[in-house]
Amino acid sequence: MKKTVTVMLACVLLISTCLSAGAATFTDVSVSDYFYGEAQTLAALGIVSGDAEGTLRPYAAISRGEFAKLTAGMLNEMDEARMEKGASMFADVDSAHWAVPYINYVAKNNIIVGYPDGTYHADESITYAQAITVVLRVLGYDETTVSGFWPDSYISKAAQLELTEDMQFDAYASITRADAFVLIARALETEMYAGKANLAASYGYTILEDVVVLSTRETDASLAAGEIKTLAGVYKCNDESLLENLSGNKVKLYLNEKNEVAAVAPYTDYPTKLVIKKWLGG
């Protein structure tokens, strides 16, 4: 009896979450955390990184100096911001403060301008209202395009843009680092004011959502080094560490201007896993 071999691809939903390969590892972050995907996205893009102990301290407040750095990262202007080192633009920020380059950068670009008395309060925590205002400014909104009284007007606009979806907060409370990560990650993919391309596109990234990885060189010898085969096509990734153990996972891909994989972000809610089975029949 003639034997035939049929290869069947079966898609099954995993009830538990899985850690996508290439994901950053933080000792105080779990794959089940609500902000996990956003934190991984920002880490993959070089916008956030852990401290010396490998922690993100997600539920701690974030300072105004730290948020200035995140803002520069959101704009993909970290290198330009670092050139702003030197004399501080604010009376209460010593020129030796680690955040001076980022604070000077956001101030010069009228994103975070400080207080009327010429101070910045770099080490004070930033509030939800302030963080939301900064993010909307980055997206091209200001007092001429957001009508009403601050901060309600900005909070309403953020809700309209779904930047704060599912967030419960007091406008004047200190924003947590976790919520800041979520806010910024969402902003990267939000259409900017007047229909301009989103921030990810503005600095060269194209985002592919819900990409199922069929194989990498680990599982398919026909692929070249660094190549990834997906249902959307075959892509090149210069950093092969991003692709380790990735076959079968559902991810979000960030493609650069050369259409190469620049970052891989995992999905945490019921990701799709491909199971390959061989069936023998006669």
Side-chain angles (χ1 to χ4, degrees):
M1 183 174 58
K2 184 178 179 180
K3 299 283 186 179
T4 60
V5 179
T6 301
V7 178
M8 181 183 72
L9 293 179
C11 291
V12 296
L13 289 178
L14 296 179
I15 295 179
S16 60
T17 59
C18 68
L19 175 62
S20 174
T25 301
F26 302 109
T27 59
D28 58 348
V29 175
S30 168
V31 71
S32 62
D33 289 327
Y34 75 91
F35 58 87
Y36 177 80
E38 288 83 359
Q40 290 297 330
T41 296
L42 298 187
L45 296 177
I47 297 175
V48 303
S49 58
D51 57 22
E53 287 72 41
T55 64
L56 273 185
R57 296 179 290 114
Y59 299 107
I62 187 167
S63 73
R64 290 169 55 83
E66 290 172 324
F67 205 81
K69 183 177 181 180
L70 286 180
T71 301
M74 183 167 41
L75 289 163
N76 196 34
E77 296 289 359
M78 294 289 277
D79 289 339
E80 183 174 344
R82 292 187 184 106
M83 296 178 66
E84 297 292 342
K85 61 184 179 181
S88 170
M89 294 176 59
F90 296 93
D92 65 330
V93 181
D94 190 277
S95 294
H97 194 288
W98 70 269
V100 161
Y102 310 107
I103 292 172
N104 285 349
Y105 174 80
V106 295
K108 286 184 177 180
N109 286 278
N110 296 313
I111 301 172
I112 309 178
V113 296
Y115 292 90
D117 63 356
T119 60
Y120 185 89
H121 302 187
D123 296 317
E124 289 185 8
S125 59
I126 192 168
T127 67
Y128 279 88
Q130 291 169 339
I132 288 169
T133 300
V134 171
V135 168
L136 286 177
R137 284 176 180 166
V138 170
L139 292 176
Y141 294 91
D142 57 28
E143 62 275 4
T144 66
T145 55
V146 180
S147 60
F149 295 99
W150 187 89
D152 293 348
S153 56
Y154 280 81
I155 290 173
S156 295
K157 175 57 68 174
Q160 179 185 337
L161 296 174
E162 299 183 349
L163 293 172
T164 55
E165 185 177 8
D166 297 326
M167 281 189 194
Q168 302 294 323
F169 59 88
D170 176 344
Y172 298 99
S174 300
I175 191 171
T176 64
R177 295 167 65 83
D179 278 353
F181 300 153
V182 172
L183 184 65
I184 289 173
R186 289 174 177 174
L188 291 174
E189 300 177 28
T190 298
E191 185 179 278
M192 299 180 70
Y193 178 70
K196 294 181 181 179
N198 60 35
L199 289 168
S202 70
Y203 54 72
Y205 287 118
T206 299
I207 301 173
L208 297 184
E209 302 272 3
D210 300 322
V211 176
V212 175
V213 179
L214 298 177
S215 58
T216 66
R217 189 176 175 86
E218 287 183 311
T219 56
D220 186 348
S222 68
L223 294 174
E227 283 189 336
I228 177 175
K229 186 176 183 180
T230 75
L231 290 175
V234 175
Y235 298 95
K236 173 74 174 179
C237 180
N238 292 325
D239 183 357
E240 292 190 56
S241 67
L242 294 176
L243 308 182
E244 295 173 359
N245 304 313
L246 200 61
S247 295
N249 286 327
K250 180 180 176 184
V251 300
K252 180 188 299 183
L253 297 180
Y254 287 74
L255 306 180
N256 62 21
E257 294 174 340
K258 297 180 180 179
N259 214 38
E260 298 172 335
V261 177
V264 180
Y267 284 98
T268 59
D269 295 328
Y270 304 100
T272 301
K273 186 80 172 180
L274 287 180
V275 179
I276 300 176
K277 297 182 179 179
K278 293 183 179 179
W279 294 89
L280 297 178

